[in-house]
Amino acid sequence: MINFSKTEFLKSAALPKDIYIGEAGEIAMCGRSNVGKSTLINKLCNRKSLARTSSTPGKTTTINYYRIKKDFYITDLPGYGFARRSQSERRRWADLMESYFRNALNIRLALLLLDVRHEPSSDDITMINFLVGSNLPFMAVMTKSDKPKKSELSEKINFLNEYMEKYSPIDSIAVSIKDSKAIDKLRNSISDYLEI
Ligand SMILES: Nc1nc2c(ncn2[C@@H]2O[C@H](COP(=O)(O)OP(=O)(O)OP(=O)(O)O)[C@@H](O)[C@H]2O)c(=O)[nH]1
Ligand SMILES: [Mg+2]
């Protein structure tokens, strides 16, 4: 079982030349801006502000690498689908992502975060197709499960579960920052899948 609490910040990459290329295994956090990627890294690692978060989208603008154990990293990626970015920022984002995925030969698992309240957006679908097309194993993680009304939650989870089953053999999981049991379950699923 991974001891996420020993995680430490390793480096940031703002430009393709800064992208980490090495032997270590990697867990990549992908998803739309504001879906909760940086927040989830903090929760998994039981830390308040290892990764910086914000209530406004577009907070993470660099690729941030965190070492969870010797030879294993978790990578916080800048989110997609954030409309209010300048043309040049969008270009930089696209170049950075393209370079990241081209060089990330050691991604052992991607976590694709989806807001439990919404159906996948066209950007999410592009991401899903990319992961499938690249043969990258991924687990859908539905975030913000504290937000829907209790009466609607299971319907939303079932919808996304069924949706994602078509694309990934790995079971989806619903989490919330307010539900430490769900976070624990996610830690276990990641450890079990990676056998680390
Ligand atoms: N209620 C609730 N809020 C959450 C949850 N997870 C994240 N948030 C909030 O969602 C907002 C965005 O979280 P971030 O972690 O910064 O989102 P991000 O995906 O890293 O966004 P970018 O860095 O822009 O790509 C913050 O205000 C978080 O507190 C959750 O499970 N429940
Ligand atoms: Mg972020």
Side-chain angles (χ1 to χ4, degrees):
M1 169 75 174
I2 312 170
N3 183 358
F4 281 95
S5 63
K6 293 217 168 119
T7 305
E8 51 187 40
F9 172 73
L10 188 74
K11 69 176 260 176
S12 288
L15 297 169
K17 69 171 176 55
D18 304 319
I19 282 169
Y20 168 82
I21 300 171
E23 302 287 301
E26 197 166 327
I27 302 168
M29 283 276 183
C30 344
R32 171 176 86 63
S33 207
N34 204 241
V35 70
K37 299 177 293 299
S38 304
T39 305
L40 188 58
I41 287 188
N42 289 335
K43 279 284 149 193
L44 283 172
C45 302
N46 237 325
R47 301 270 278 281
K48 275 218 167 69
S49 48
L50 186 65
R52 278 195 271 160
T53 66
S54 165
S55 57
T56 51
K59 178 67 182 176
T60 309
T61 56
T62 54
I63 296 171
N64 299 317
Y65 298 91
Y66 301 90
R67 195 203 311 266
I68 51 177
K69 69 196 282 269
K70 192 174 174 289
D71 294 335
F72 235 95
Y73 299 83
I74 192 161
T75 310
D76 190 13
L77 297 171
Y80 48 75
F82 174 41
R84 275 171 297 149
R85 264 196 191 125
S86 67
Q87 197 70 18
S88 64
E89 259 301 287
R90 266 191 243 184
R91 189 69 251 157
R92 188 185 67 86
W93 182 89
D95 288 347
L96 190 63
M97 286 301 112
E98 198 266 330
S99 188
Y100 170 77
F101 281 109
R102 190 158 27 85
N103 288 297
L105 306 175
N106 297 316
I107 296 179
R108 300 267 306 275
L109 178 66
L111 300 183
L112 175 64
L113 273 58
L114 298 166
D115 187 318
V116 74
R117 294 169 293 177
H118 309 303
E119 291 186 15
S121 66
S122 60
D123 287 330
D124 290 327
I125 293 167
T126 303
M127 188 74 228
I128 291 167
N129 286 331
F130 174 80
L131 292 168
V132 171
S134 310
N135 275 324
L136 284 171
F138 70 97
M139 182 189 292
V141 179
M142 303 164 213
T143 63
K144 310 196 185 188
S145 63
D146 56 295
K147 291 256 192 182
K149 285 191 205 132
K150 282 251 156 41
S151 55
E152 291 170 5
L153 181 64
S154 56
E155 191 190 327
K156 289 184 185 298
I157 291 177
N158 290 343
F159 171 82
L160 283 173
N161 268 335
E162 274 177 35
Y163 188 98
M164 295 312 302
E165 265 172 20
K166 291 180 281 183
Y167 299 100
S168 175
I170 305 174
D171 284 345
S172 305
I173 180 169
V175 299
S176 151
I177 46 171
K178 298 180 182 168
D179 182 353
S180 54
K181 275 198 186 137
I183 301 289
D184 237 0
K185 196 173 157 207
L186 176 59
R187 286 191 194 104
N188 280 319
S189 302
I190 295 171
S191 274
D192 284 353
Y193 177 78
L194 295 172
E195 297 177 343
I196 57 169

